[in-house]
Amino acid sequence: WEKWLLEHPEKKQDVQTARELLLAIWATYDHISDHEINHHVETLENKLNPVISSPTEPFNRFRARNWGIAATMLLLIVAGTVFWRFNSSPTHSENYQQLIGQSKTATLIEQKNTTNQPLSINLPDGSSVLLSPQSQIVYPDDMDKSPERQVYLIGEAFFEVQRNPNKPFMVLANDIVTRVLGTSFWVRSYEDTPDVSVSVKTGKVSVYPRQLGNNETANWEAKSGVLLVHNQEVKYLRSDRRLVKTLVENPLIVNPEIVKTQAVFDDAPIAKVFQSLEKAYGIQIVYDEQTFKNCYITAKIYDEPLTETLLLLCKIINATSEIVDGQIVITGKGC
């Protein structure tokens, strides 16, 4: 069990719950008399195998098997819990059934990363997946021949998609679908976490929520989705079925040429600095130019992460910044 928990750390709480349940059951039955236990054991043995049963089997033999039975019960409880949690998730089940329905002539390939290191997987269409530990993907073996390339994900993975304008690439993960033509992005969709997230490294992706129709089947509504570009992220809040667009935690520079030519500013208007940051990170910065027209900056930027740079700039111009719908919004009184 210790080895199994090392390989499946996300199931630690399930095992602990099963153990407590088993101990509680065992404590309850410890108060039953030996005579009553013997009677029930003999009755069960007679029903299961009346030919070879031994009604007079001593109770001490039954007691000797107690811990073996306990271990078996624990195994069954944990295995049943894991199976129930996977199969009782209507979203995952529907996503999986949708993938099967659209791949009737194909063989589904299932790959699970049971190691503690990311697993690199090459897909039939030339795309690649970096599958995080304890994560799983399922895809048809002929996905490169299908009108739409679909992958079913549980857990976390980084996708680098081979561009094909005629065959969109779709990742079905819990309550959302991510649709792309060619790009690289992360999808995080663990069963035990409250939210699902998609973050883009390069290119553009569309993320749609799953809408329930009258027949309670999965329908992907483009009008309810959001468009993401590099350094943007969307989180799907399962509690109220809502997509929230934001930025990744640590935005990366997508235009290094800007850093080489526009890293140093000498008494420059703040508008010029913001424009440089927008081009370097590919993130829109929204502010009132009239409010900050008298603010000038002498500084070297890009030596610190974007969040630290914005914090410093806002202190200089008496402003604050916040992320709204995947954009940076600057507000304040100005200089």
Side-chain angles (χ1 to χ4, degrees):
W1 279 109
E2 291 178 353
K3 180 181 178 182
W4 189 86
L5 280 174
L6 288 175
E7 295 175 351
H8 304 84
E10 76 282 2
K11 302 300 181 184
K12 182 178 180 180
Q13 186 58 46
D14 292 339
V15 174
Q16 181 62 24
T17 302
R19 178 179 182 275
E20 293 173 357
L21 176 62
L22 182 60
L23 290 176
I25 294 172
W26 204 260
T28 301
Y29 281 90
D30 273 346
H31 297 289
I32 300 175
S33 67
D34 290 354
H35 175 75
E36 187 176 355
I37 292 174
N38 272 324
H39 172 72
H40 285 291
V41 170
E42 291 170 0
T43 302
L44 285 172
E45 286 181 339
N46 287 328
K47 287 182 178 179
L48 291 173
N49 196 343
V51 176
I52 62 172
S53 63
S54 302
T56 59
E57 181 181 10
F59 174 65
N60 61 346
R61 186 175 171 186
F62 174 77
R63 295 284 291 190
R65 295 200 305 262
N66 281 356
W67 284 109
I69 294 173
T72 303
M73 288 180 65
L74 179 59
L75 176 62
L76 291 174
I77 290 172
V78 174
T81 302
V82 173
F83 178 83
W84 175 82
R85 293 185 66 180
F86 180 85
N87 289 279
S88 65
S89 171
T91 302
H92 280 305
S93 178
E94 289 167 3
N95 289 351
Y96 189 70
Q97 292 301 323
Q98 179 176 343
L99 184 60
I100 292 176
Q102 298 186 11
S103 307
K104 292 181 179 179
T105 61
T107 300
L108 292 179
I109 300 175
E110 179 179 342
Q111 296 204 39
K112 184 174 183 179
N113 185 1
T114 59
T115 71
N116 58 1
Q117 299 292 330
L119 176 64
S120 180
I121 299 171
N122 294 320
L123 300 179
D125 70 325
S127 301
S128 64
V129 181
L130 193 63
L131 191 64
S132 295
Q134 311 310 321
S135 299
Q136 174 184 351
I137 61 169
V138 180
Y139 57 90
D141 62 350
D142 66 345
M143 66 181 298
D144 56 327
K145 301 175 183 177
S146 303
E148 290 183 336
R149 300 169 288 169
Q150 292 191 351
V151 175
Y152 168 69
L153 170 70
I154 298 177
E156 180 178 356
F158 178 73
F159 294 85
E160 288 189 287
V161 178
Q162 183 72 28
R163 182 172 178 79
N164 188 339
N166 299 319
K167 296 183 178 181
F169 189 99
M170 302 172 67
V171 179
L172 289 79
N174 212 297
D175 291 306
I176 64 173
V177 61
T178 304
R179 183 186 179 98
V180 301
L181 294 176
T183 187
S184 59
F185 58 97
W186 280 100
V187 178
R188 300 173 180 86
S189 176
Y190 289 100
E191 292 181 290
D192 297 335
T193 56
D195 305 324
V196 184
S197 67
V198 177
S199 56
V200 177
K201 181 181 178 182
T202 60
K204 297 179 181 180
V205 306
S206 296
V207 181
Y208 311 133
R210 181 176 65 90
Q211 303 293 335
L212 293 179
N214 295 330
N215 58 355
E216 295 297 302
T217 56
N219 300 295
W220 307 107
E221 296 289 344
K223 63 182 180 181
S224 302
V226 299
L227 180 66
L228 299 179
V229 296
H230 34 246
N231 284 325
Q232 289 186 335
E233 180 179 72
V234 66
K235 292 185 177 181
Y236 181 77
L237 309 181
R238 292 175 178 169
S239 57
D240 52 5
R241 297 181 178 273
R242 183 166 57 95
L243 290 171
V244 177
K245 191 175 180 180
T246 182
L247 295 180
V248 297
E249 185 175 354
N250 296 304
L252 301 176
I253 293 173
V254 297
N255 192 346
E257 291 299 320
I258 296 296
V259 179
K260 294 179 181 178
T261 59
Q262 299 181 13
V264 179
F265 293 89
D266 184 11
D267 199 27
I270 191 64
K272 188 175 181 180
V273 179
F274 286 155
Q275 290 171 7
S276 177
L277 290 172
E278 283 183 323
K279 294 177 181 178
Y281 289 95
I283 300 172
Q284 186 174 357
I285 300 178
V286 181
Y287 62 99
D288 183 15
E289 292 188 18
Q290 188 64 28
T291 300
F292 299 101
K293 66 178 182 179
N294 296 322
C295 296
Y296 291 81
I297 296 292
T298 297
K300 181 180 179 181
I301 59 176
Y302 302 120
D303 287 341
E304 301 292 337
L306 179 59
T307 52
E308 297 296 327
T309 300
L310 287 173
L311 183 62
L312 176 61
L313 293 176
C314 286
K315 284 185 177 180
I316 296 174
I317 64 174
N318 298 315
T320 59
S321 66
E322 62 178 332
I323 300 171
V324 179
D325 195 30
Q327 301 173 336
I328 298 173
V329 179
I330 308 293
T331 55
K333 298 180 180 179
C335 302

